[in-house]
Amino acid sequence: MKYRMIGSDPKSRRRVSALSLGAMLFGSAIDEATSFAILDRFVEAGGNFIDTANNYAYWVNGTQGGESEALLGRWRRSRGIGDDIVIATKLGGRPNVPATTLTLDIEGLSAKVIRESSERSRERLGVAKLDLLYAHIEEARAPLEEIVESFAGLVEEGTVGLLGASNHWVWRLERSRSLAAAAGLPGYEVVQYHHSYLRPRTDLPTLRSKDGNLGLTSGDLLSYLRAEPALTLVAYSPLLGGGYVRPDKPLGVAFDHAGTPRRLAALREVAQETGATVNQVVLAWLMGGEIQVIPLVGASSVEQLEESLAAVDLELTAEQRAKLDAAY
């Protein structure tokens, strides 16, 4: 396994594996025995960065979420897991009532929610301190100052280590970080967005935004990350849910543009040159670029996880990376 540092303060920064394991469906769509086996194999391979959220995965069984955190708590206790395993969680997107589809009726990011939801996450995970806590979604109802101060308060009292933000417009991300810096408060040091080798359209409206998909990595975000090298991008769904290799998993309308076939052709060519799978080349491309990216991979079996783990040791040549980068 290879490792990266997240966070800038020597007192709070953490050394995490170059690959993160997503636990979104653990305890709901993926049964406990299988989930434990995947987690065990990830740790055995040197992985120590696991991702969840307090609303995972409400849409599977029509709940309010919490199943993934609760399973991770049981796994931690059964395996005697300590501080060497970094578990990131998120709050803000939990539905206020049980739901089976994505909904706008969610808890949000008020000071009350941030405090109470973080406490419930600590209880489910069985930890006194959350290693990394994300603002899962944007919050238009609470002032940014309230959100920034509430998250910083958790760090200052010692119940949270590092802070992150997921699925935010870049201007709100920057404004939040600037507010924290101006007040001398801890701010977001990790961001989580959907990012992969194929570039999707970001202008398509979504349930939460008529202006486009704020969860996708845009040119603005990439430019921002180049200017802020201490900020780490955790890239969720890097393998597009199997879309690179499974005909039954169509890429969708966001990828229906002229650049997609050209990038797919370059990707397949490099995969043939390396003898690796297409998925492994995608992960290697993400991990080895100029911007610090930690791919967040899901797995429904140990076999799926093995393919992703093997990508950590795949080194693309400068020529192969240039070929991939040049395809538009």
Side-chain angles (χ1 to χ4, degrees), residues 157-212:
E157 71 183 24
T159 56
V160 170
L162 294 169
L163 297 174
S166 176
N167 305 321
H168 281 51
W169 291 122
V170 178
W171 71 266
R172 285 179 65 90
L173 175 64
E174 165 60 17
R175 188 167 295 179
S176 298
R177 298 182 74 232
S178 294
L179 284 169
L185 297 174
Y188 301 139
E189 297 191 83
V190 185
V191 295
Q192 188 174 132
Y193 289 79
H194 175 39
H195 186 44
S196 187
Y197 173 64
L198 290 184
R199 299 291 293 273
R201 290 178 56 185
T202 60
D203 62 311
L204 300 174
T206 67
L207 176 68
R208 297 201 174 101
S209 173
K210 63 183 180 181
D211 297 320

Side-chain angles (χ1 to χ4, degrees), residues 54 69 89 117-126 130:
N54 72 342
E69 287 183 334
T89 193
S117 289
S118 65
E119 289 175 356
R120 285 193 293 267
S121 288
R122 286 191 287 116
E123 290 171 2
R124 282 191 288 264
L125 290 167
L130 298 172

Side-chain angles (χ1 to χ4, degrees), residues 34 37-38 41 280 299-309:
T34 303
I38 294 169
R41 175 60 188 131
Q280 288 168 342
S300 58
S301 67
V302 172
E303 290 72 25
Q304 283 186 354
L305 177 63
E306 295 289 1
E307 181 184 15
S308 296
L309 289 172

Side-chain angles (χ1 to χ4, degrees), residues 200-245:
R201 290 178 56 185
T202 60
D203 62 311
L204 300 174
T206 67
L207 176 68
R208 297 201 174 101
S209 173
K210 63 183 180 181
D211 297 320
N213 194 329
L214 68 174
L216 297 177
T217 297
S218 63
D220 275 351
L221 179 61
L222 292 173
S223 177
Y224 185 57
L225 291 168
R226 289 183 194 279
E228 299 286 344
L231 192 60
T232 300
L233 171 62
V234 174
Y236 69 78
S237 300
L239 302 180
L240 307 181
Y244 281 106
V245 295

